[in-house]
Amino acid sequence: MERVLGTGGVFLRARDPEALRGWYQTHLGIPVGEWGGNVFENDAGDATVWSIFAGDTEYWPVEQQAMVNYRVADLDLILARLREAGIEVDERIEEQEFGRFGWAIDPEGNRFELWEPVTS
C-alpha cells in the first residue's frame, strides 16, 4: 500500500500575508523566498511529528484549528529574543523525554510551539 512519507508543508492563512511573512522572518529567522515561503532542508535524523488531538484539547486555543511546531536549536535563546521584541510568550517551558517546549503568539493570534529536541 502506498503511504505518506512525511509532512510536505505548513500553510497559514493571514489577513496581511506580507506582514506576517516579515514577522516570521524577523523573529523566528525563517527566510522567505520571492514566492512567499521557504523550503527547510533537514539533516539526517531530523524528525517531524504528526498527531491528532481531541477536539476539546487545551494544548492550544480551541478557536485555532491547528498549531505549528517549529524545531529550534536553543529554546531559551529564541524565547528571550521574542520577549525582548515584545512578543507574547508563554512563561511555561515543558521538559519531556523528547525535548523542551515553549510557546508564543504571532501578530495574527496564532499560537505556535517551539521544540528543542533531545540531542544524542
Side-chain angles (χ1 to χ4, degrees):
M1 178 174 114
E2 187 61 22
R3 66 180 187 89
V4 170
L5 302 175
T7 302
V10 173
F11 309 99
L12 301 174
R13 294 180 194 271
R15 290 180 296 277
D16 186 342
E18 284 300 317
L20 194 59
R21 287 180 193 118
W23 187 90
Y24 274 92
Q25 188 166 18
T26 299
H27 298 292
L28 295 185
I30 298 175
V32 177
E34 285 185 29
W35 56 276
N38 181 57
V39 175
F40 294 96
E41 298 288 337
N42 296 325
D43 296 329
D46 282 349
T48 299
V49 175
W50 181 86
S51 182
I52 295 188
F53 286 68
D56 61 353
T57 185
E58 294 181 4
Y59 197 65
W60 68 87
V62 294
E63 63 275 1
Q64 185 177 321
Q65 181 67 20
M67 181 174 64
V68 178
N69 168 297
Y70 298 100
R71 253 187 335 262
V72 300
D74 188 332
L75 180 63
D76 296 321
L77 180 60
I78 198 163
L79 290 175
R81 287 186 178 159
L82 292 172
R83 285 185 183 101
E84 287 170 10
I87 294 162
E88 185 178 344
V89 174
D90 193 318
E91 293 302 316
R92 177 179 55 120
I93 291 178
E94 278 190 21
E95 299 202 22
Q96 299 180 10
E97 66 214 53
F98 17 80
R100 301 174 66 233
F101 298 86
W103 300 267
I105 298 177
D106 76 17
E108 296 230 359
N110 299 301
R111 182 176 172 90
F112 59 90
E113 184 171 65
L114 299 167
W115 169 37
E116 181 184 328
V118 172
T119 54
S120 49

